């Protein structure tokens, strides 16, 4: 850019040496060479600062992935735990196979074991209502055979689940004769008798078996009942593998955490669907209006007005949905739950409308005027031109707008936190509370222990969100722009 | 025949056309209605509780009454630091993209793609990044360095001749504490840790054992959620906004002015510094205002990088935690123990937050429209 000024008078306009500078003219503050070096330095500085965005994109992915990486690579310890659990299960299954009444007995003794630790009900209290009803129904099933087999006293003891000590004397009298009667019971009797032994210290027959292995088996059975058939039983510290996430139960805070993310995926899909259904028609039609049908002065005021919606913080939108929209929807449709995916979807839709509107408006106005004029020239009316010529011509842009809207709806946190009800249950109904990806991260991150498996799973959800938004951006950037360019070149 | 056709088309046009032109208008009206209802709802319900006292007092009585001044203060502080971090970097990047990058440069395309990706990343992922990188890695490392330096200082202090632990002697914890309290450096952290020495304050230790014990008690200053990390996270979030606005402003400077400056013999940087940048200060301002309004409204990144619900005192250093208007509203609305009593407070807080962001947005929009008009000149 800068013409080289050298000492030699090779340049045609340069005066001969003697007359180049008079002594009275001051020297320039920097020599030419210094200016060039300074210039290069500044250029280099600007260049390196502008790589910040690239660097930080990489860093974001790297560090979020790093915190989640144990999920991908962990698992060697988990193999051992699986075998331990499997052994416990096989022993209980062989025990139930040996004696029919033995089967009923072991189930009878389970509610006994449930009576003892009152912490059990406490740990399940954090679960949402549906899940709580699920476990209590399990317990009721277990109580039933007991009620059938043993008359009045045990029914009294079975109905009051609360205090073990009050019922303990009854139970000892009820269970002991059975323990003596059935010989095969003695092999499994360890598991049967120890809860009794702990409730009634002295008066019973000698079942002085060490409590440790049998309560482990009881715990395993109980855990198996809580957790379900096809999921490994985990503790809070046990490492998590990616395969544990492909499950339809999200209960990371219960005693045996389940990290299945299907409910979260379904919740996110539901709210995004409602949001798109609500926002996309409104936004495209509004863009159509301001791009084609509105006089200039209306367009000048309308565009900033709709972009004002973009300026409303998402917390405020979430709060608005929580207060006003939820009541409105509930009275309109008569739903059971006040906060559900419909309300959340409307809130997300409100957040998505400005994005889709702005991009659609730009896309529609970017369609060449020649298309419009040609259409009008062959006799179409204004609106026919708009709907049948301009709108299809702007399809790549509209597609990009919808994609970006979906990306925003997936990742929006505050609205989802406040307006969706936050229950991680797996069902396809729209009138139920849901949990989205971002809401899960936002709600649970404040309470996890740094480095724990729950923490890693939450970071894994973050990785998923990042990859999803990256893919959407990628498609928008490369695929859509290519199509747009091709279309207008006439290819 | 032609006349019939026109009439026929005209009739068909008018009925279908009525709907075709009416639907977009209806859509616009619906969207505007939503905006009016949202803003109006909060103005009506929130202004009842709004007062000068509300804006300047601190919360009282477990956040059920009193003002929200600490939240406003925290938000303003946060946004200030965020702007200081985001605007220079964004401006320089936009400068590079418009002035220095060649038209076909792959590097420019990569930067633009990175900026667009940054714009699309969900805000909660920024929060996770802030937690995983800024707090756990950078902050933790800073704490380690700071603490190791402190331990070295402690070793040298304990080795001086007036120390009770000089020359490998042993001394009781009490003696050590008095010695450290009288020392010229600030050992208050360490003295507090020594209170809890497991073998009691009259146990005797030597210098190595003492330093070993204290090394494990690294106190977190930078490795915990704080103002600086939340501000940096938000700066990353709003970087694309700044870049896009400044780029737009830079493009409004006509090429002719640049070329004239270069023709007069100025270097590229001199042209930028003296001609281009002063002309697009309104654009830079627009970008910063938009970034500020976005930063004041985003709550997701600061959920676990620094915002808290109640504070004893206002944040006075970069490593303190802070209260934030949006976070305050979120907690009030969903987790406060007495939701009904705080209802007017919630509405008023929303009104303040809305007022702040909307005022900023309107200013930026007006600035931007003035910029664009100048381009047409």
């Amino acid at each position: 850019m800068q013409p080289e000024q050298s000492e030699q008078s090779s340049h045609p306009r340069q005066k001969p040496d003697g007359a180049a500078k008079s002594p009275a003219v001051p020297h320039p503050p920097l020599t030419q060479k210094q200016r060039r070096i300074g210039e290069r330095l500044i250029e280099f500085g600007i260049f390196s600062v502008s790589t910040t965005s690239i660097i930080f994109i990489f860093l974001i992915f790297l560090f979020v992935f790093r915190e989640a990486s144990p999920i991908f690579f962990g698992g060697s310890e988990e193999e051992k735990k699986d075998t331990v659990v499997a052994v416990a299960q096989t022993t209980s299954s062989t025990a139930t196979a040996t004696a029919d009444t033995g089967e009923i007995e072991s189930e009878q003794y389970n509610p006994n074991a449930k009576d003892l630790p009152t912490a059990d009900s406490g740990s399940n209290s954090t679960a949402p209502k549906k899940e709580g009803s699920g476990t209590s129904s399990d317990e009721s099933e277990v109580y039933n055979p007991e009620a059938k087999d043993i008359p009045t006293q045990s029914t009294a003891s079975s109905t009051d689940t609360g205090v073990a000590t009050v019922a303990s004397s009854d139970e000892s009298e009820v269970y002991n004769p059975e323990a003596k009667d059935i010989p095969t019971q003695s092999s499994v009797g360890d598991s049967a008798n120890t809860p009794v032994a702990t409730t009634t210290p002295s008066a019973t027959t000698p079942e002085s078996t060490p409590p440790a292995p049998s309560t482990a088996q009881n715990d395993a059975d109980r855990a198996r009942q809580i957790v379900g058939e096809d999921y490994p039983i985990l503790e809070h510290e046990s490492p998590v593998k990616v395969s544990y996430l492909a499950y339809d139960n999200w209960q990371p805070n219960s005693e045996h955490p389940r990290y299945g993310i299907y409910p979260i995926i379904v919740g996110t899909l539901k709210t995004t669907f409602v949001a798109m259904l609500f926002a996309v028609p409104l936004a495209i039609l509004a863009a159509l209006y301001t791009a084609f049908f509105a006089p200039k002065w209306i367009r000048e005021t309308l565009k900033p007005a709709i972009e004002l919606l973009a300026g409303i913080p998402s917390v405020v939108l979430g709060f608005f949905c929580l207060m006003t929209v939820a009541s409105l929807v509930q009275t309109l449709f008569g739903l059971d739950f006040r906060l559900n995916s419909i309300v959340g979807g409307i809130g997300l839709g409100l957040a998505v409308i400005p994005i889709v509107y702005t991009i659609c408006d730009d896309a529609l106005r970017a369609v060449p005027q020649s298309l419009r004029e040609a259409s009008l020239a062959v006799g179409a009316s204004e609106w026919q031109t708009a709907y049948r010529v301009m709108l299809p011509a702007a399809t790549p842009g509209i597609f990009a707008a919808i994609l970006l809207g979906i990306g925003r709806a997936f990742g929006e946190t505050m609205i989802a936190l406040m307006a969706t009800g936050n229950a991680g249950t797996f069902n396809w109904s729209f009138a139920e509370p849901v949990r989205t990806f971002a809401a899960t991260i936002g709600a649970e991150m404040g309470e996890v222990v740094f480095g724990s498996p729950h923490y890693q799973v939450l970071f894994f959800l973050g990785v998923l969100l990042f990859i999803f938004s990256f893919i959407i951006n990628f498609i928008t950037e490369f695929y859509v722009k290519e199509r747009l360019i091709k279309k207008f070149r006439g290819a | 025949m032609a006349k019939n056709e026109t009439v026929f088309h005209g009739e068909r046009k008018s009925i279908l056309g009525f709907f075709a032109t009416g639907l977009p208008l209806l859509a616009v009206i619906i969207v505007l209605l939503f905006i009016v209802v949202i803003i109006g709802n909060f103005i009506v319900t929130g202004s009842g509780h709004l007062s000068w006292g509300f804006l300047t007092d601190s919360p009282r009585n477990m956040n059920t009454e009193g003002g929200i001044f600490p939240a406003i203060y925290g938000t303003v502080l946060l946004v200030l630091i965020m702007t200081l971090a985001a605007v220079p970097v964004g401006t320089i990047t936009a400068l590079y993209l418009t002035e220095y990058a060649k038209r076909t440069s792959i590097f420019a395309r990569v930067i633009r793609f990175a900026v667009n990706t940054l714009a699309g990343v969900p805000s909660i992922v920024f929060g996770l990044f802030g937690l995983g990188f800024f707090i756990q890695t950078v902050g933790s490392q800073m704490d380690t360095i700071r603490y190791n330096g402190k331990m070295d200082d402690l070793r040298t202090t304990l080795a001086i001749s007036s120390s009770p632990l000089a020359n490998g002697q042993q001394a009781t914890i009490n003696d050590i504490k008095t010695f450290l309290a009288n020392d010229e450096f600030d050992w208050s952290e360490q003295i507090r840790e020594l209170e809890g020495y497991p073998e009691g304050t009259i146990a005797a230790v030597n210098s190595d054992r003492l330093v070993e014990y204290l090394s494990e008690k690294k106190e977190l200053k930078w490795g915990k959620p704080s103002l600086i990390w939340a501000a940096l996270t938000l700066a990353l979030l709003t970087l694309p906004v700044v870049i896009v606005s400044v780029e737009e402003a830079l493009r409004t400077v006509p090429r002719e002015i640049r070329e004239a400056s270069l023709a007069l013999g100025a270097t590229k940087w001199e042209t930028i510094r003296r001609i281009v940048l002063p002309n697009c200060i309104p654009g830079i301002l627009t970008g910063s205002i938009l970034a500020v309004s976005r930063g004041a409204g985003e709550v997701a990144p600061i959920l676990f990088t620094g915002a808290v619900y109640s504070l004893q005192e206002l944040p006075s250093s970069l490593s303190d935690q802070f209260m934030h208007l949006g976070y305050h509203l979120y907690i009030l609305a969903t987790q406060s123990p007495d939701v009904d009593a705080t209802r007017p407070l919630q509405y008023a807080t929303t009104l303040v937050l809305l007022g702040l962001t909307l005022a900023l947005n309107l200013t930026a929009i007006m600035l931007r429209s003035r910029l664009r008009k100048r381009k047409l000149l």
Side-chain angles (χ1 to χ4, degrees), chain A residues 122-277:
Chain A
S123 71
N124 277 335
S125 63
T126 54
K129 298 190 198 104
K130 296 231 154 175
E131 204 43 43
S133 60
T135 47
S136 60
S137 63
D138 285 344
E139 290 176 82
S140 59
E141 282 165 22
V142 174
Y143 277 125
N144 281 336
E146 183 183 23
K148 283 178 207 149
D149 286 343
I150 304 157
T152 53
Q153 281 175 330
S154 58
T155 49
S157 68
S158 68
T159 46
D160 92 270
T161 54
V163 186
T165 48
V166 173
S168 62
S169 50
D170 289 337
E171 285 162 3
S172 61
E173 286 168 13
V174 168
Y175 289 135
N176 281 334
E178 286 165 42
K180 282 179 201 150
D181 286 344
I182 300 161
T184 50
Q185 189 56 37
S186 60
S187 60
V188 218
D190 311 335
S191 71
N193 293 321
T194 351
V196 181
T198 49
T199 51
T200 60
S202 51
T204 59
T205 51
E207 306 98 354
S208 50
T209 48
S214 33
T215 44
Q217 188 185 350
N218 258 339
D219 281 342
D221 288 340
R222 184 174 49 127
R224 179 50 59 191
Q225 275 175 338
I226 296 175
V227 166
E229 287 312 309
D230 49 355
Y231 198 74
I233 295 175
L234 301 170
E235 306 296 327
H236 276 282
E237 300 81 32
S238 45
V240 176
K241 287 197 291 194
V242 182
S243 54
Y244 297 163
L245 298 174
Y247 187 62
D248 57 1
N249 210 335
W250 172 262
Q251 296 254 22
N253 288 322
S254 80
E255 191 185 334
H256 296 283
R258 276 91 78 200
Y259 296 113
I261 59 175
Y262 288 167
I264 307 181
I265 295 181
V266 167
T268 316
L269 284 176
K270 281 195 288 186
T271 43
T272 310
F273 180 73
V274 174
M276 285 294 135
L277 206 64

Side-chain angles (χ1 to χ4, degrees), chain A residues 2 35 39 42-43 46-47 49-54 56-57 59-60 63-64 66-67 278 282 285-286 289 293 302 304-306 308-309 311-313 315-317 319-320 322-324 350 353 381 383 387 411 413-414 417-418 438 441-442 445 450 455 458-459 462 465-466 469-470 473-474 477-478, chain B residues 13 16-17 20-21 24-25 27-28 30 32 34-35 37-38 41-42 89 92-93 96 100 107 109-111 113-118 120-122 124-126 128-129 131-133 136-137 236 265-270 297 299-300 303-304 326 329-330 333 343 346-347 350 353-354 357-358 361 365:
Chain A
Q2 191 64 27
R35 279 161 111 197
E39 181 92 0
I42 289 176
E43 239 181 83
I46 292 183
F47 177 80
V49 170
S50 45
T51 55
T52 313
S53 29
I54 303 180
F56 270 101
I57 283 283
L59 281 181
I60 290 178
F63 278 90
V64 175
R66 187 186 90 150
E67 300 287 338
F278 171 69
L282 276 180
L285 287 174
Y289 183 78
F293 297 129
L302 265 183
I306 296 185
L308 210 61
L309 191 56
I312 299 184
V315 204
V316 175
L317 284 176
F319 184 57
F320 175 71
L322 176 67
M323 294 277 98
T324 316
L350 283 174
I353 283 179
S381 60
W383 67 265
Y387 279 91
T413 311
M414 298 316 297
L417 260 178
M418 294 170 89
I441 300 177
M445 194 48 122
F450 164 63
Y455 174 90
L458 288 179
F459 266 88
L465 273 178
F466 181 84
S469 76
F470 188 83
N473 253 306
F474 196 80
E477 283 273 328
F478 293 109
Chain B
K13 265 188 246 177
L16 193 54
T21 38
L25 186 59
V28 166
I30 292 179
L32 285 178
F34 263 109
I35 299 174
V37 164
I38 292 176
N41 179 29
F42 286 120
V89 176
I92 294 180
T93 312
Y96 178 80
Y100 284 98
F107 188 68
R109 271 191 85 182
V110 171
I111 291 187
F113 179 68
V115 170
N116 282 334
T117 312
L118 262 183
V121 171
I124 193 88
V125 176
F126 281 108
L128 286 178
F129 173 68
L131 191 62
F133 177 69
Q136 302 293 1
T137 310
L236 210 53
T267 62
K268 193 161 192 175
W269 170 245
E270 282 176 353
V299 177
L303 274 179
F304 29 82
L329 172 63
Y330 162 62
R343 196 65 82 203
Q346 295 168 21
Y347 279 112
T350 317
L353 182 60
L354 249 188
T357 32
L358 287 182
N361 262 15
I365 288 175

